[in-house]
Amino acid sequence: MNNTIAIVGRPNVGKSTLFNRLIESKEAIVESVSGVTRDRIYGKSDWNGYEFSVIDTGGYVHGSDDTFEDEIRKQVLFAIDESDAIIFVVDSQEGINPLDEDVAILLRRSKKKIFTVANKVDTPDKTLNIAEFYSLGLGEVFPISAVNGSGTGDMLDEIVKVFPNKTISDDETDLPRIAFVGRPNVGKSSIINTLLGDKRNIVTDIAGTTRDSIYTRYNAFGHDFMLVDTAGLRKKGKVYENIEFYSTLRTIRSIENSDVCVVMIDAQTGIEKQDVNIFHLAHKNNKGIVVVVNKWDLIEKETNTHLKFEKELKEKIAPFTDVPIVFTSVKEKQRIYKTLELAADVYKRRSQQIPTSKLNDLLLPIIENTPPPMGSRGRYIRIKYVMQLKTQTPMFAFFCNLPDDVKDSYRRFLENQIRVNYNFTGVPIKIYFRDK
């Protein structure tokens, strides 16, 4: 099992900046607004041949009635439970805060290896500011600057000493990534929590709770892949604050980095324009797609209600309608695992390679019987050969004499023939015409 470090501390001391430096990317949202990081964010890091996971947590606040701050406390406790060592970040410029003392009490109880880190020591002359943090009773204090990186090497040298001897492994980097995407508050975090059996992601009835994309490994019932909970995508006109803007960018990036997108729709509100936009975004990026209609338990049903909903949905997402659709209720735990099975099936179909000989044996007679319409200046288009390209997503090249003259309608005809004869349900297909 991977070594894991959790970064904890009160709000706005620089935890996310340190997290980004450790994983060498800009995964966590960094803003000078208290409480920006709401969920635990996971990342990978390595130092001197040791690989470890890093958890960035929301700022710990004790004794608050705020809904999110109560949830953040739970997230910090989860992170402590999951970690092998803890980086406790304090602000060298502000000195000890009562909230720091609250966090220190919590950490002393944890019996985990604690590394107290005084952040914002940006120049050597500020090192004297860290002395007071020894009074927290958590051992040595490491002066660092998360912004420019000074002191982080010495800190990491000490941290990796507590890990058992382990070298870098790429076990998880090749795992299929299943991203749950959709408008805010459609149940993305809830369905992942149900699958995982615990409350790894904050779930409240306030839309937009998940701001970052959260990666969690799922290894059960014969499945092994990364589940990605993303921030809900809003209409552009409703992206009011910078944080929402960053969340939207991160969701788009999660779609781009995923293999299969589970597009979630709220059964109560029906298929809205933003749902269609999210679907087309996944389609445009050539991702496998499963459509989940959630909160189905709240719908009054008549005969064929689901068929009517499915018909309306396919009309709106056309022309790509060859996708699996499942009606779920997270609350009632209906068809939750069916969603995962469908996503796994789509991933396998997306990876299939059809031998060139079989493709030609199938498609060339069909093309001969239904040839493409004439090209420019009344010339016949002759397709001689077809092959599947060696790409991550299904792409097919048709070699012909007039590749620029083939009409889109005939392109769709060929795609449908491939779909009829080979199961590509949920998988976008790209078709190219090339000069023979």
Side-chain angles (χ1 to χ4, degrees):
M1 191 170 175
N2 280 339
N3 301 304
T4 305
I5 296 173
I7 302 175
V8 304
R10 62 182 172 84
N12 218 26
V13 292
K15 297 185 299 298
S16 292
T17 306
L18 177 59
F19 172 83
N20 289 341
R21 177 159 292 281
L22 292 181
I23 68 168
E24 297 181 332
S25 77
K26 293 185 177 179
E27 287 289 324
I29 297 171
V30 179
E31 277 270 313
S32 57
V33 180
S34 176
V36 171
T37 305
R38 288 170 170 173
D39 278 299
R40 291 166 299 158
I41 316 302
Y42 290 77
K44 287 295 218 186
S45 185
D46 63 85
W47 186 256
N48 289 348
Y50 291 86
E51 184 182 72
F52 52 94
S53 298
V54 187
I55 308 173
D56 182 22
T57 63
Y60 181 85
V61 180
H62 182 67
S64 167
D65 293 329
D66 182 87
T67 304
F68 285 128
E69 290 182 352
D70 181 55
E71 290 290 343
I72 285 168
R73 276 196 297 279
K74 294 176 187 174
Q75 294 298 315
V76 172
L77 293 171
F78 264 123
I80 289 172
D81 286 342
E82 292 180 7
S83 64
D84 301 299
I86 295 164
I87 297 175
F88 173 31
V89 184
V90 292
D91 189 327
S92 66
Q93 295 180 6
E94 291 189 15
I96 291 181
N97 181 294
L99 292 175
D100 294 326
E101 294 172 340
D102 289 338
V103 178
I105 292 169
L106 190 76
L107 294 177
R108 281 198 294 270
R109 290 180 191 150
S110 75
K111 296 181 181 177
K112 296 284 176 76
K113 180 66 178 174
I114 312 296
F115 296 88
T116 305
V117 170
N119 191 26
K120 305 181 186 178
V121 181
D122 302 322
T123 54
D125 59 292
K126 293 181 179 177
T127 307
L128 296 174
N129 296 349
I130 74 168
E132 64 178 302
F133 294 106
Y134 282 91
S135 66
L136 294 172
L138 292 168
E140 186 176 356
V141 179
F142 296 86
I144 72 155
S145 169
V147 171
N148 65 34
S150 65
T152 54
D154 293 339
M155 174 193 74
L156 287 168
D157 284 343
E158 294 304 311
I159 287 174
V160 297
K161 288 178 182 177
V162 307
F163 296 152
N165 194 17
K166 184 169 181 175
T167 54
I168 295 173
S169 163
D170 291 327
D171 286 350
E172 293 186 358
T173 57
D174 294 330
L175 290 177
R177 292 188 173 191
I178 314 295
F180 288 74
V181 297
R183 286 184 286 116
N185 214 31
V186 293
K188 300 183 294 294
S189 295
S190 297
I191 196 169
I192 290 179
N193 287 344
T194 302
L195 289 168
L196 296 170
D198 70 12
K199 291 191 175 179
R200 286 174 180 261
N201 303 334
I202 295 174
V203 178
T204 69
D205 57 1
I206 302 170
T209 308
T210 304
R211 286 172 165 174
D212 280 287
S213 299
I214 302 160
Y215 291 77
T216 310
R217 186 169 182 173
Y218 180 87
N219 191 351
F221 302 108
H223 299 300
D224 189 9
F225 33 57
M226 301 299 287
L227 302 181
V228 188
D229 183 15
T230 64
L233 274 172
R234 303 173 187 273
K235 294 178 184 176
K236 286 181 183 176
K238 292 189 176 180
V239 183
Y240 294 121
E241 43 179 333
N242 284 341
I243 295 166
E244 292 289 0
F245 171 71
Y246 293 137
S247 296
T248 302
L249 287 182
R250 193 147 303 108
T251 300
I252 293 169
R253 201 177 306 138
S254 294
I255 289 173
E256 291 171 346
N257 292 335
S258 68
D259 298 297
V260 177
C261 291
V262 176
V263 179
M264 297 190 67
I265 294 169
D266 189 324
Q268 288 183 293
T269 58
I271 308 126
E272 297 188 350
K273 186 177 179 181
Q274 188 64 357
D275 297 316
V276 178
N277 291 341
I278 293 166
F279 179 90
H280 287 320
L281 185 63
H283 179 214
K284 187 172 75 174
N285 281 281
N286 299 318
K287 304 304 174 184
I289 300 176
V290 176
V291 176
V292 169
V293 183
N294 193 31
K295 307 181 185 179
W296 194 241
D297 56 307
L298 302 177
I299 300 298
E300 288 188 22
K301 298 170 191 67
E302 301 172 359
T303 308
N304 297 331
T305 302
H306 74 287
L307 293 177
K308 291 176 184 174
F309 196 104
E310 193 171 308
K311 182 174 181 288
E312 182 188 350
L313 191 153
K314 286 189 174 182
E315 285 172 356
K316 290 190 176 182
I317 64 175
F320 179 43
T321 59
D322 185 18
V323 292
I325 300 169
V326 59
F327 295 83
T328 66
S329 166
V330 175
K331 187 177 178 184
E332 303 294 331
K333 295 189 177 179
Q334 291 175 344
R335 292 174 287 280
I336 303 302
Y337 293 97
K338 177 71 173 174
T339 301
L340 217 52
E341 288 170 14
L342 288 171
D345 290 342
V346 168
Y347 176 77
K348 288 175 187 171
R349 290 195 287 270
R350 188 170 178 262
S351 309
Q352 70 176 311
Q353 283 281 332
I354 304 168
T356 301
S357 58
K358 286 190 175 182
L359 267 179
N360 284 276
D361 289 346
L362 169 75
L363 292 173
L364 291 183
I366 292 172
I367 291 167
E368 190 174 338
N369 288 330
T370 312
M374 281 187 183
S376 60
R377 288 179 282 180
R379 291 185 295 177
Y380 288 101
I381 298 172
R382 293 183 174 85
I383 297 174
K384 297 293 185 183
Y385 182 73
V386 56
M387 65 179 292
Q388 184 176 355
L389 303 177
K390 300 290 184 185
T391 51
Q392 281 189 319
T393 59
M395 296 182 183
F396 298 87
F398 289 77
F399 294 87
C400 60
N401 58 333
L402 299 168
D404 295 334
D405 287 3
V406 183
K407 293 180 170 56
D408 283 342
S409 58
Y410 198 74
R411 186 192 303 267
R412 288 194 294 272
F413 167 76
L414 292 175
E415 179 180 333
N416 289 335
Q417 294 305 313
I418 294 172
R419 289 188 180 280
V420 165
N421 290 279
Y422 296 99
N423 187 356
F424 280 105
T425 297
V427 182
I429 291 174
K430 289 283 187 184
I431 288 179
Y432 300 96
F433 297 96
R434 293 181 176 174
D435 197 308
K436 63 182 181 179

